[in-house]
Amino acid sequence: MNAPENESLDFVRQIVADDQSNGKHAGRVHTRFPPEPNGYLHIGHAKSICLNFGIAEQYGGKCNLRFDDTNPEKEDTEYVEAIKEDIRWLGFDWQDRLFFASDYFDQLYQWAIQLIRGGHAYVCDQTAEEVREYRGGWNKEGRNSPYRERSVEENLDLFERMKQGEFADGEKTLRAKIDMTSANMNLRDPAMYRIRHVHHHRTGDAWCIYPTYDWAHGQSDSMEGITHSICTLEFENHRPLYDWYLDHLGAHHPQQIEFAKLVLSYTVTSKRKLLELVQGDYVDGWDDPRMPTLSGFRRRGFTPESIRQFCNKIGVTKFNSLTDLSLLEQSIREHLNKIAPRVMGVLDPLKVVIENYPEGESEMRNAINNPEDDAAGIRTIPFGRELYIERSDFLEDAPRKFFRLTVGREVRLRYAYFLKCESVVKNDAGEIVELRCTYDPETAGGKAPDGRKVKGTIHWVSAEHAVDAEVRLYEHLFTQENPSDVPEGVDWKELLNPDSLKVLTHCKLEPSLAEAQSGDRFQFERNGYFCVDAQDSTADKLVFNRTVSLKDGWSKAKKKNG
RNA sequence: UACCCGGUGGUGUAAUGGCAACACUUCUGAUUUUGGUUCAGACAUUCAAGGUUCGAGUCCUUGCCGGGUAACCA
C-alpha cells in the first residue's frame, strides 16, 4: 500500500506488512488507540498515537479512538474531552470511529453468560484478601476457590443477581475458570466483573457490575474488528489471557503486539505522578508548560509536527530505553528554525545611550523576517539614541574570546550600525546601570565602507519604542536524569527542580510584537524560540513562554574554560 | 525464588547469515550581519563464553546483566 519502500520497518510494522502481504484478515489493517479517561495525554501517549494512527495511514487501514472506561471510580468526561482535543491537535483523525468500552457493556455481559454456560466462568464469593491468598505466589501454586465448582445454573442465577444489585461492593466477582497452578499469574482464575455501586460518566447508574481491563479490552478489540492490538510491554504477560478469552468465545481474534513505552529523561510520565503534581499544585495545571503532557507542550510552543517527527525518530522496539531530551529539543528547534519569524527581544535589559546620535530623532531599519524562508519578507524596526541591549552582552573585564561589547571595543548592532562603548555608568552600589556609547553613521546596515571588521553582532531594542513583556523561562522539571530512579527513603517529589520556572518581567521587545496573538511563535534572535502564552497573555500585558533555547556555543565555551 | 521479555557508540535506532549504517549529543575546523543555521571531520572489534557455518550483531547452548509480572487498576 503506502508503506515506504527501501526503508527499514520497525518490528510492529514488519508484522503488519507481513500479515497484509500474506492476506491475513483479507489484507485489512485496523488499529486503535485506547486511552483510559483518567488523566491527560502525555508524550508517551504521543508515541502510541503516532504508531497506531501512523500504521493505519501507511497500510491503507483505519484507527479507532476507544476510551477504555471500565473503572468509573477514576474516570471523568473532562478527560475524555481533553484527550480528543490533544489527538486532533497532534494531527490525527478517528473520523466516525469514536468508541467507548462502555458501549459494549451489554455484549460483554452476554459473552460472560456464554462463558458461564460453557463452564468457563464462575461466581466467586471470596473476599479480595482471600483471592490474593488463594492465588499463591511465584513459587507457590494457587489453590482452587471453594466456589469454583458451582453449577452453571447457580452461576447464571448469581451473576444475574450481581447485575440486579442484590450484593454489596466486593461481595462477589465473576471469575474466568482457567488454571490456579499456571506459572502465569494472569491465568489463575482472573476476575472478569467486580461489583461497584458507583455512577459511571456515560452509563450513569445502569450498571453496578463493571468489567475488568482484561475482560473488556480484547473483546472490545474483537467487536471493532481490530487486526493489530498494539500495547505496551507490561501487558506481555496478559497476552495468553487475551488469547484465551477470544479462543473460548470463538470471536474475531486480533493479534496483540507489545512495544516499549517511551521514557524521557528529566521528566516523569506516570499518570499517577502527573496527577499528583497537578493536585498538589507543584505545577500550574495539566497544561503547565513544564509538564510532559501534550497540552503542556502545546502551551509551551511545541508544534505537532515536531512531536510527530520526534516519535518518528525514536523508533519502536521492545527495549526499555531512556530517551534523551535532546532528541525532542532537536525536533522542535529544527521545525521552528524553518517557520518561526525572527524578532529582537531583550530579556535582561541594559540601557545604552548613543552620545553622537541626534536627540529626539529616530529612523527605521530593515530586518529580515526569516533567513530560512525568503517568502517571509522583511520588516522595519525603529532605531534611536537610546537602546536596550542584553546585559550579558557587555562585560567590563572581557576575555579575548568575548566577541561582544566592552569599553573601547566595537560591535555590530544587528541590522543597524557599529557601536563603540565609551564609558560605563554605575550606581552607588557599583552596579552598571547604563552604557555611554558612540556609533559610526557610515556603517548603516552593518557594513563599514573602510572594510574594517567587527567580530560580534548583538541584538537591541529602541528604548522609546520597546514594548514590555513578561517572559517565562523553563528548565527540566526534575534535577535527575531518571526521576523514576528514586534513592531509598526519598520522596520522588524531592527530585523536582526548584529552578524549573524563572519569570522575567519588564523584558523589552521590538514594537512589532505588540500585535502578537495567542500561541504565535517567534525566534528571539540569539535567545531562543518563544510563544505567546495562551492562558495569561493579554494585549495590555504580554506573556511569552520560552519553548526552547537556541544552541549556545558561547556558554559552552565558557563552561569548558572554567 | 517462578514465568515472560530484552541487551548494538554517551543517547535513540538500522543492518532480515555477507563491508556494523543513520540521527542526536560531545569535540575539531570552515562559513556566517543570530557564538543560531549550514558544511566538513572525529568518537564501536555489537554483554560474556562456547558451538553451527566458507562466513555470526543476526542461528543454537550456557552464563551475566536489565525490565515486567503475585489489583475486584489500566
Side-chain angles (χ1 to χ4, degrees):
Chain A
M1 289 270 161
N2 305 321
E5 283 188 48
N6 301 327
E7 222 171 275
S8 68
L9 303 176
D10 59 66
F11 82 101
V12 180
R13 275 175 245 255
Q14 188 70 63
I15 293 170
V16 172
D18 287 349
D19 285 350
Q20 187 166 59
S21 59
N22 293 337
K24 192 173 176 182
H25 305 297
R28 200 169 54 81
V29 172
H30 203 152
T31 56
R32 98 270 95 110
F33 174 63
E36 183 189 12
N38 69 342
Y40 280 56
L41 259 27
H42 54 66
I43 186 75
H45 291 113
K47 179 180 181 180
S48 176
I49 293 167
C50 290
L51 220 209
N52 279 293
F53 280 93
I55 282 176
E57 262 171 35
Q58 280 171 26
Y59 294 92
K62 293 172 177 169
C63 180
N64 297 354
L65 170 59
R66 180 174 73 235
F67 286 94
D68 223 326
D69 55 348
T70 57
N71 186 359
E73 288 169 307
K74 291 186 184 171
E75 297 151 6
D76 196 278
T77 46
E78 177 205 342
Y79 298 126
V80 171
E81 293 313 310
I83 288 169
K84 284 156 70 177
E85 185 188 353
D86 287 345
I87 298 173
R88 274 193 220 103
W89 175 75
L90 237 202
F92 296 101
D93 184 6
W94 54 88
Q95 297 169 320
D96 58 346
R97 297 179 309 279
L98 168 65
F99 302 118
F100 292 81
S102 53
D103 294 339
Y104 310 134
F105 283 176
D106 278 309
Q107 175 65 248
L108 252 10
Y109 182 77
Q110 294 307 322
W111 266 343
I113 289 173
Q114 185 183 326
L115 287 189
I116 293 172
R117 289 220 167 93
H120 301 305
Y122 62 97
V123 173
C124 183
D125 298 2
Q126 286 188 311
T127 63
E129 259 145 60
E130 287 170 326
V131 169
R132 197 180 318 126
E133 192 198 323
Y134 274 63
R135 184 160 34 231
W138 290 317
N139 263 340
K140 195 174 163 217
E141 288 189 351
R143 287 136 63 209
N144 286 347
S145 159
Y147 309 98
R148 201 175 199 258
E149 300 306 329
R150 291 218 250 233
S151 69
V152 168
E153 290 66 33
E154 189 183 3
N155 280 322
L156 252 17
D157 174 59
L158 254 16
F159 186 46
E160 167 70 19
R161 288 160 59 195
M162 277 171 65
K163 181 181 180 241
Q164 294 308 326
E166 281 191 34
F167 307 112
D169 286 5
E171 198 177 328
K172 287 180 167 33
T173 54
L174 183 74
R175 292 226 256 164
K177 194 174 182 177
I178 308 181
D179 179 7
M180 291 304 289
T181 68
S182 174
N184 184 338
M185 290 294 168
N186 295 116
L187 264 21
R188 320 252 262 226
D189 289 11
M192 295 169 62
Y193 278 96
R194 66 296 207 177
I195 300 172
R196 292 284 180 277
H197 291 268
V198 293
H199 191 82
H200 185 281
H201 69 102
R202 294 194 79 241
T203 60
D205 300 312
W207 296 84
C208 64
I209 57 171
Y210 291 97
T212 58
Y213 165 84
D214 285 303
W215 172 238
H217 196 85
Q219 284 49 251
S220 301
D221 283 345
S222 179
M223 282 181 242
E224 293 177 14
I226 298 304
T227 57
H228 301 270
S229 177
I230 301 163
C231 62
T232 46
L233 248 30
E234 66 265 32
F235 294 104
E236 230 163 7
N237 293 332
H238 293 239
R239 192 178 349 121
L241 179 55
Y242 184 103
D243 292 338
W244 187 93
Y245 282 132
L246 262 9
D247 287 342
H248 286 258
L249 253 17
H252 164 71
H253 196 149
Q255 179 183 0
Q256 178 178 302
I257 305 166
E258 311 87 10
F259 71 97
K261 71 175 179 209
L262 170 67
V263 181
L264 239 202
S265 61
Y266 297 104
T267 192
V268 295
T269 43
S270 143
K271 276 199 192 174
R272 197 202 89 233
K273 288 179 180 172
L274 294 179
L275 181 65
E276 203 175 332
L277 290 178
V278 171
Q279 292 185 336
D281 289 326
Y282 294 95
V283 295
D284 177 30
W286 287 100
D287 67 345
D288 185 300
R290 293 166 293 178
M291 289 282 273
T293 51
L294 294 184
S295 51
F297 282 120
R298 177 166 62 236
R299 188 171 168 193
R300 172 112 167 214
F302 275 69
T303 61
E305 291 91 334
S306 69
I307 291 180
R308 280 189 258 123
Q309 174 64 19
F310 168 72
C311 291
N312 219 14
K313 279 197 296 202
I314 57 174
V316 182
T317 67
K318 299 187 74 153
F319 178 61
N320 289 299
S321 55
L322 176 63
T323 300
D324 201 292
L325 202 56
S326 65
L327 253 70
L328 219 207
E329 290 180 343
Q330 161 65 13
S331 297
I332 186 60
R333 284 197 187 106
E334 194 178 306
H335 190 214
L336 258 18
N337 177 49
K338 291 275 185 296
I339 65 164
R342 271 58 170 175
V343 293
M344 291 201 281
V346 176
L347 268 29
D348 185 10
L350 174 60
K351 172 79 84 60
V352 163
V353 177
I354 305 174
E355 294 175 321
N356 61 338
Y357 194 91
E359 275 184 67
E361 284 189 25
S362 69
E363 65 187 284
M364 298 305 283
R365 303 296 324 164
N366 283 339
I368 295 165
N369 285 331
N370 187 348
E372 304 289 322
D373 178 13
D374 291 341
I378 62 165
R379 70 186 184 290
T380 56
I381 310 170
F383 179 86
R385 180 178 155 89
E386 299 199 350
L387 310 174
Y388 291 110
I389 66 166
E390 207 72 61
R391 192 164 282 275
S392 58
D393 282 338
F394 177 82
L395 217 51
E396 263 191 304
D397 301 307
R400 31 287 126 226
K401 294 277 220 160
F402 187 76
F403 304 149
R404 308 174 188 183
L405 204 56
T406 187
V407 179
R409 197 181 286 177
E410 206 171 32
V411 294
R412 174 166 36 231
L413 293 171
R414 171 134 245 222
Y415 297 128
Y417 301 90
F418 283 11
L419 181 82
K420 189 175 178 186
C421 179
E422 305 293 347
S423 63
V424 175
V425 181
K426 294 182 181 178
N427 63 14
D428 294 343
E431 295 159 344
I432 301 171
V433 293
E434 189 179 297
L435 262 25
R436 307 297 292 192
C437 302
T438 53
Y439 85 121
D440 179 352
E442 298 300 309
T443 57
K447 276 197 183 74
D450 63 6
R452 76 181 190 278
K453 295 273 190 269
V454 99
K455 194 75 177 157
T457 301
I458 66 173
H459 59 281
W460 52 272
V461 170
S462 162
E464 184 194 343
H465 307 88
V467 294
D468 263 47
E470 174 178 318
V471 173
R472 299 171 180 172
L473 307 181
Y474 304 102
E475 299 287 338
H476 300 156
L477 228 202
F478 289 86
T479 53
Q480 192 172 295
E481 187 176 34
N482 186 357
S484 299
D485 237 355
V486 191
E488 196 70 36
V490 173
D491 186 297
W492 63 275
K493 292 188 292 301
E494 287 177 34
L495 304 176
L496 244 12
N497 178 6
D499 302 317
S500 59
L501 168 65
K502 192 170 171 190
V503 178
L504 306 176
T505 53
H506 304 298
C507 301
K508 303 292 183 183
L509 311 182
E510 67 167 72
S512 69
L513 258 3
E515 317 297 324
Q517 301 297 305
S518 168
D520 283 356
R521 304 181 181 93
F522 302 90
Q523 183 195 101
F524 290 7
E525 292 209 27
R526 304 210 304 134
N527 264 319
Y529 296 98
F530 296 78
C531 78
V532 180
D533 186 80
Q535 300 293 336
D536 301 333
S537 193
T538 64
D540 295 336
K541 189 201 168 209
L542 284 171
V543 178
F544 281 86
N545 296 319
R546 183 172 68 191
T547 309
V548 66
S549 65
L550 245 30
K551 277 202 265 183
D552 184 356
W554 168 239
S555 70
K556 256 182 218 164
K558 256 195 314 190
K559 237 181 253 173
K560 200 181 134 205
N561 300 323

